[in-house]
Amino acid sequence: MAIVDMSKLSVIGLNDNKSDVLRELMTLGVCEINSQDEKLSDSEWAALTKRDFDQSATLSTDMKISEVSSALEVLDKYFTGKKPFIKCRKPVSEAEFETKNSKPEEAEKFVALVNEKYKKVLSLKAQQTALLTEISELKPWLDYEFNLDMKETKYSSIIHGTFPNSVVTADIESRLSQEGSGCVIDVVSKDDKITYAVAVCLKEDKENVLSVLRQENFNPVSFADIVGTAKENTQSCNDKLKNVESELSSIEKEIGRLSENIETLEFYYDDLVIERDRYKILSNILRTEKTFYFDGWVIKSAVDKVKNVLDKYGCYYEITEPEKGEQMPILLKQNSLTDPFQSITDLYSTPSVNDIDPTPFLAPFYFIFFGLMLSDAAYGLILSVGSFILLKHYRLEGMMKRLVKMFMFCGISTFFWGVLFGGWFGDMFGISPAWFNPVEEPMTLLVFSLILGGIHIFVGMGLKAYILLRNGQTIDAICDIFLWYLLLIGIVVFALGSSIAPIATEIGKWMSIIGAVGIVLTGGRSKKGIGKITGGLGSLYGITSYLSDVLSYSRLLALGLATGVVSQVINTLGKMVGGGVLGVIVMIVVFVIGHVFNLAINTLGTFVHSSRLQYVEFFGKFFDGGGTPFNPFSRKTKYVEILKEEK
Amino acid sequence: MESLTLFNFSGQFYALLGAALAALAGIGSAIGIGIAGEAAAGVVSEDPNKFGQVLVLQALPGTQGIYGLLIAFIILLKVGLLGGDGMVDITVSQGAYILASAAPIGLVGIFSAIAQGKAAAAGIMLVGKKPSELAKGMIFAAMVETYAVLALLISFLMINSITF
């Protein structure tokens, strides 16, 4: 429900026990080990200790990891079995993880084998491309029955090449014969742009002929390394291609078979990552000849477990409470109802030490706003049931799990509002609303939305007041929050007072006047001289921001209308085709496609706009963010989740 | 009203002109989505795995077109074009009211969608560099959309208050 308490930890122990201590702390995963850069730049510390860091071990493990991950990529590409829609970590017990990783040599061999096979695949693919290029280059010359490497006879030169189709070869021949250098140009083939041709002339005329031909955009083709006719070469290329392709497919099949063992590598990968992280953390540990030192943060409720480990290995340690306002890593903890909504907080920012955790306060509003904007009972059911199925079928974790769960909750809210406003796929079934139809009475919903917005903003201001009071800034709380409460409530009472009692108008008037005067007098209290007056007036001008904040909640109505009316459009379109079997089929198709589209686009819009109301209107009142999230020294595995055994 | 009857257009014509004007918001959405799409393709060329994330951002400027459609649809319903009984008779001034009420979403829709497309494109670039900041990119684009939402609301309230 709040920001989790942390304790400061500093430890000195013997180097002999270091790896065991680190291993056990990693398994616990409740400590964050701080960087020691600051201490190392302190000359007293630097004289005694040095950084404990084994660069070569870290690097070599990193190399192994990159090899394994490229092998995994290859196997994943050729994996023939059924791939899950969402990839989730596989739960394994500690013992299973250890037995699976008991033979690293074999895993390594497997990695090498896969990577080698894939190298072969790549080289075969390159050969394949080269052969295909050659075949396509030879294709225009298939009808030329002489050897392509025959460039001359005893007296004549043979020049192969291409013209653009616009060139008329007979014209060139006659031009050349006028110049006294006879030449025969034989057209071999034509495609839609280029003419492929052979020019034959006397050897002594070759230079002249070539220069004339070049003027006509002739492009000589040399056929380097080709012996024999185009037909022969194409034939041999085709044969080679067949061999390459069959080899390729057999290797690819082999890799496909190997990919059945992909799990071995996934285990190996995670084992390596754990090992690498253990090497890496050493750079945050200081050492002397015989001892090591580190400090960091530990979750307060888990202090006893850490103590046990440290006692076991005879470490000297100190656990203290942080000073007030000291920067520390932030971990949030929620109850099961508000936990899904932490995703909204996480998407914004981690709270700072001075903040309060906004999640429990935003959760109910998010729930209500989301439902109000989507407000279709059928859509709500689809959203909830869909999310529920996702959660049942996949072991989702972290942000993903929270988001899906949040959509499940919000689906319930959507259902509720849908029933109130009579939206079941819009007006498809003509079910009458339990409360009222917003399309017919938009003003009612507009007022309702703005009231909800007002409450939301007031709660945000209240939280700011709480933070100020907690920090002992009582005057700030009174001037910046309570005077505003007085003014804003006063204005509302003044405006609505006449319909309640005549005296209410009077009360409202004086409340607003006192509030406004108070704000003008105190708004510039931190400024000097003339700023005291202008600052106060400036503060009062801030009333426009409250106005625009409240009006911003009109989107609750607008997006609710959007869902409802677009559904209505879809239903009207579907019913337009008329009766008959065809009409029914078209209607169903239009309904399904239309409503899926409407659900998708409106859920996106609703998600964005309910988040925006939290981030801009609500958080703007009290929340700073910018904290550092708690990053424990733990086993950060990618493919498997090692289940902790509770003793 | 002399000047209006000068063209001898009926009230129904003005009402339909209003529906058309509202639907023009789609121009803005098309341009906005196009702008965002160009940025999205750039990011996906670097990392195809970001397709899903950038698609979400690309879709954001599409709502103005939907709001325009929505108002156009309500106008068509109101003048009886979709009801089945045929168009109702409305006076020139009633038709002109409808035309006026379509103006907010038609005009604001076009320009806000283009601006939102630019913000969404910037958000897509943001996701390209920092995938974890998707939500912030979405919020930047949604800030622009506020004004389309307000225009939709005004158009809707105006139409809703016109009675025949």
Side-chain angles (χ1 to χ4, degrees):
Chain A
M1 287 292 275
I3 296 173
V4 174
D5 286 332
M6 296 275 166
S7 298
K8 271 203 299 201
L9 169 77
S10 36
V11 177
I12 294 176
L14 290 174
N15 274 335
D16 293 343
N17 296 332
K18 186 174 62 191
S19 58
D20 289 323
V21 172
L22 287 179
R23 194 184 303 270
E24 296 214 10
L25 286 183
M26 193 181 206
T27 311
L28 280 178
V30 294
C31 307
E32 177 170 331
I33 296 179
N34 290 342
S35 158
Q36 302 296 341
D37 291 348
E38 212 172 298
K39 290 214 171 66
L40 278 173
S41 56
D42 181 333
S43 59
E44 268 181 79
W45 278 89
L48 284 171
T49 59
K50 61 176 193 251
R51 195 191 292 277
D52 188 351
F53 186 45
D54 188 347
Q55 193 168 13
S56 68
T58 318
L59 272 181
S60 81
T61 331
D62 263 332
M63 290 272 285
K64 276 190 204 164
I65 289 175
S66 81
E67 266 169 42
V68 177
S69 76
S70 57
L72 275 169
E73 237 167 76
V74 171
L75 290 182
D76 189 54
K77 197 164 140 196
Y78 290 99
F79 188 62
T80 45
K82 206 177 140 217
K83 276 186 202 171
F85 176 56
I86 303 170
K87 197 135 175 65
C88 304
R89 295 201 298 175
K90 187 177 183 264
V92 292
S93 69
E94 193 88 40
E96 192 187 348
F97 187 70
E98 256 166 48
T99 39
K100 284 263 168 122
N101 280 316
S102 55
K103 291 169 190 159
E105 310 82 24
E106 276 181 27
E108 208 133 299
K109 260 187 218 155
F110 188 49
V111 170
L113 181 72
V114 172
N115 283 338
E116 194 186 315
K117 295 257 182 224
Y118 191 61
K119 228 185 244 168
K120 196 82 193 284
V121 167
L122 289 182
S123 93
L124 283 172
K125 282 209 169 139
Q127 282 180 41
Q128 191 184 24
T129 321
L131 286 169
L132 286 172
T133 320
E134 195 174 339
I135 289 171
S136 76
E137 276 170 0
L138 287 171
K139 202 174 163 213
W141 302 94
L142 279 176
D143 292 336
Y144 181 66
E145 62 233 54
F146 299 101
N147 288 345
L148 290 170
D149 51 319
M150 189 172 74
K151 307 281 190 200
E152 56 183 18
T153 61
K154 196 166 176 188
Y155 298 110
S156 63
S157 280
I158 302 169
I159 308 162
H160 306 91
T162 59
F163 289 111
N165 275 350
S166 54
V167 173
V168 180
T169 51
D171 292 353
I172 306 173
E173 280 174 336
S174 62
R175 181 178 158 195
L176 278 165
S177 69
Q178 273 168 14
E179 286 179 23
S181 25
C183 173
V184 179
I185 299 173
D186 189 14
V187 171
V188 179
S189 66
K190 272 188 180 188
D191 59 25
D192 51 349
K193 279 197 189 118
I194 295 167
T195 307
Y196 300 86
V198 184
V200 183
C201 62
L202 288 175
K203 268 186 190 168
E204 59 261 35
D205 293 337
K206 188 181 176 186
E207 287 309 309
N208 187 29
V209 169
L210 256 181
S211 79
V212 170
L213 287 178
R214 283 223 172 87
Q215 286 165 21
E216 301 287 344
N217 294 321
F218 178 77
N219 231 336
V221 179
S222 65
F223 298 114
D225 305 329
I226 290 180
V227 179
T229 65
K231 244 191 199 134
E232 287 163 9
N233 276 293
T234 308
Q235 186 60 40
S236 81
C237 279
N238 273 327
D239 291 345
K240 276 187 215 159
L241 190 63
K242 241 180 231 155
N243 284 337
V244 167
E245 276 169 357
S246 76
E247 203 175 337
L248 192 61
S249 83
S250 84
I251 289 192
E252 285 183 335
K253 261 189 210 138
E254 237 173 286
I255 299 181
R257 267 199 301 281
L258 289 177
S259 72
E260 285 162 21
N261 293 326
I262 193 166
E263 210 185 75
T264 335
L265 284 197
E266 291 177 346
F267 276 87
Y268 184 52
Y269 179 92
D270 279 345
D271 197 37
L272 283 176
V273 166
I274 293 172
E275 190 181 321
R276 194 259 327 262
D277 286 350
R278 245 190 338 248
Y279 285 129
K280 243 185 169 172
I281 201 71
L282 290 179
S283 65
N284 284 353
I285 291 178
L286 300 176
R287 63 172 293 166
T288 63
E289 182 91 22
K290 291 260 162 54
T291 62
F292 67 89
Y293 166 86
F294 67 82
D295 55 32
W297 298 91
V298 57
I299 299 172
K300 200 173 176 186
S301 57
V303 160
D304 286 341
K305 284 184 192 165
V306 175
K307 274 184 181 167
N308 281 342
V309 171
L310 296 174
D311 283 334
K312 192 163 129 195
Y313 293 103
C315 297
Y316 172 77
Y317 59 85
E318 202 175 72
I319 292 174
T320 54
E321 296 309 307
E323 288 155 38
K324 201 166 182 298
E326 188 176 353
Q327 288 303 320
M328 60 175 188
I330 302 291
L331 179 71
L332 301 178
K333 191 171 164 53
Q334 315 292 344
N335 66 28
S336 58
L337 271 182
T338 57
D339 182 68
F341 294 92
Q342 196 188 314
S343 50
I344 301 300
T345 310
D346 285 342
L347 283 171
Y348 184 80
S349 171
T350 308
S352 76
V353 182
N354 303 319
D355 281 316
I356 51 170
D357 178 9
T359 315
F361 303 100
L362 74 80
F365 287 105
Y366 198 94
F367 180 77
I368 294 171
F369 293 166
F370 191 101
L372 190 50
M373 286 196 227
L374 202 53
S375 65
D376 190 296
Y379 288 0
L381 285 180
I382 292 174
L383 209 55
S384 283
V385 172
S387 307
F388 181 74
I389 291 172
L390 267 184
L391 285 173
K392 275 280 144 206
H393 269 262
Y394 298 100
R395 271 188 95 256
L396 301 175
E397 289 177 275
M399 172 69 91
M400 185 81 166
K401 181 177 181 178
R402 288 208 176 104
L403 274 179
V404 173
K405 218 170 186 175
M406 189 186 81
F407 280 123
M408 189 173 85
F409 284 178
C410 289
I412 297 170
S413 165
T414 307
F415 174 79
F416 173 72
W417 288 107
V419 171
L420 284 186
F421 295 149
W424 293 82
F425 288 122
D427 59 353
M428 188 188 277
F429 307 111
I431 296 173
S432 55
W435 189 15
F436 67 92
N437 182 352
V439 180
E440 282 155 16
E441 294 175 52
M443 286 316 287
T444 318
L445 187 53
L446 182 62
V447 170
F448 181 70
S449 302
L450 298 185
I451 291 173
L452 271 182
I455 297 171
H456 197 208
I457 290 172
F458 270 30
V459 170
M461 291 164 70
L463 290 172
K464 179 70 187 178
Y466 168 76
I467 294 171
L468 289 172
L469 290 175
R470 189 185 64 177
N471 295 348
Q473 295 163 281
T474 320
I475 294 176
D476 289 331
I478 291 172
C479 299
D480 292 342
I481 308 295
F482 294 122
L483 283 177
W484 276 106
Y485 271 160
L486 201 62
L487 172 61
L488 296 172
I489 296 173
I491 290 172
V492 174
V493 172
F494 177 69
L496 303 177
S498 55
S499 59
I500 307 165
I503 186 77
T505 320
E506 204 62 14
I507 295 172
K509 191 170 91 186
W510 285 105
M511 277 172 80
S512 354
I513 290 173
I514 295 169
V517 169
I519 290 163
V520 172
L521 290 179
T522 60
R525 64 189 178 283
S526 57
K527 303 217 172 75
K528 279 178 193 150
I530 191 90
K532 282 200 188 299
I533 300 163
T534 52
L537 289 173
S539 289
L540 186 62
Y541 185 67
I543 196 160
T544 53
S545 81
Y546 286 95
L547 183 68
S548 68
D549 279 352
V550 171
L551 284 179
S552 180
Y553 289 83
S554 63
R555 77 186 70 228
L556 293 175
L557 162 65
L559 282 147
L561 285 177
T563 324
V565 179
V566 174
S567 300
Q568 212 178 328
V569 174
I570 295 161
N571 295 340
T572 314
L573 282 180
K575 285 171 192 161
M576 259 178 191
V577 185
V581 180
L582 188 71
V584 172
I585 294 172
V586 171
M587 190 173 83
I588 291 173
V589 170
V590 171
F591 281 173
V592 170
I593 295 176
H595 284 292
V596 166
F597 168 78
N598 193 24
L599 177 61
I601 199 89
N602 274 301
T603 308
L604 172 65
T606 303
F607 170 73
V608 169
H609 285 280
S610 2
S611 303
R612 180 225 135 101
L613 287 177
Q614 308 294 339
Y615 293 162
V616 181
E617 275 76 19
F618 191 54
F619 282 6
K621 297 282 171 291
F622 70 99
F623 186 67
D624 293 329
T628 336
F630 182 59
N631 178 20
F633 174 53
S634 62
R635 299 190 283 199
K636 296 189 174 66
T637 50
K638 186 172 167 190
Y639 296 101
V640 298
E641 185 190 355
I642 305 164
L643 299 174
K644 280 182 190 141
E645 283 146 39
E646 295 298 330
K647 281 166 205 164
Chain B
M1 286 292 114
E2 274 301 303
S3 58
L4 278 173
T5 47
L6 189 70
F7 297 101
N8 214 13
F9 290 144
S10 66
Q12 289 150 334
F13 171 78
Y14 286 107
L16 287 191
L17 199 59
L21 177 62
L24 287 187
I27 296 176
S29 280
I31 298 177
I33 290 189
I35 294 171
E38 286 170 27
V43 168
V44 171
S45 73
E46 292 277 318
D47 180 2
N49 292 332
K50 295 209 178 88
F51 177 70
Q53 287 183 308
V54 298
L55 191 68
V56 167
L57 281 166
Q58 198 204 346
L60 290 180
T63 40
Q64 280 85 345
I66 295 175
Y67 297 158
L69 170 88
L70 200 147
I71 294 297
F73 179 79
I74 291 175
I75 292 174
L76 294 183
L77 267 185
K78 201 156 180 100
V79 299
L81 255 188
L82 293 174
D85 298 334
M87 268 176 101
V88 293
D89 274 331
I90 46 179
T91 64
V92 170
S93 54
Q94 282 167 337
Y97 291 158
I98 290 180
L99 176 59
S101 59
I105 190 58
L107 293 178
V108 178
I110 293 175
F111 294 108
S112 71
I114 295 172
Q116 197 177 355
K118 288 177 188 161
I124 287 166
M125 293 302 179
L126 170 69
V127 171
K129 285 190 178 160
K130 298 200 164 156
S132 55
E133 304 298 316
L134 173 65
K136 284 166 203 170
M138 277 160 63
I139 296 303
F140 292 142
M143 297 297 284
V144 182
E145 185 163 320
T146 305
Y147 303 98
V149 170
L150 295 180
L152 166 70
L153 206 63
I154 289 301
S155 282
F156 182 81
L157 293 178
M158 284 163 89
I159 289 181
N160 215 54
S161 59
I162 297 171
T163 48
F164 300 150

